[in-house]
Amino acid sequence: MSSDLPRYTLRIPQTYLDKIKYIAEENGRSANKEIELMIKERIKEYETANGEISLPE
């Protein structure tokens, strides 16, 4: 299954990855989806505090 989503290589300590995988399994998600959710929540948190980020079209 191909995707049009951009790919990004993430380098993080193995301990963090192992903990993310643990959390993902607890939530019934893949590690990738768990990381995506964490990023989404952080962006929402940032925008709540600082206003919506406007990106050029």
Side-chain angles (χ1 to χ4, degrees), residues 21 23-31 33-34 37:
K21 286 179 179 180
I23 294 167
E25 189 173 321
E26 289 284 309
N27 291 317
R29 289 189 272 271
S30 67
K33 283 296 181 185
E34 193 66 41
L37 179 64

Side-chain angles (χ1 to χ4, degrees), residues 8 10 12-41:
Y8 182 83
L10 177 64
I12 60 172
Q14 186 65 50
T15 304
Y16 290 173
L17 182 57
D18 292 342
K19 289 181 179 187
I20 289 169
K21 286 179 179 180
Y22 179 89
I23 294 167
E25 189 173 321
E26 289 284 309
N27 291 317
R29 289 189 272 271
S30 67
N32 188 74
K33 283 296 181 185
E34 193 66 41
I35 292 167
E36 186 179 340
L37 179 64
M38 290 175 172
I39 292 168
K40 184 178 176 181
E41 288 176 352

Side-chain angles (χ1 to χ4, degrees), residues 3-4 23 25 28 31 42 45 50 55-56:
S3 171
D4 290 335
I23 294 167
E25 189 173 321
R42 178 60 183 116
E45 184 180 287
N50 299 288
L55 301 175

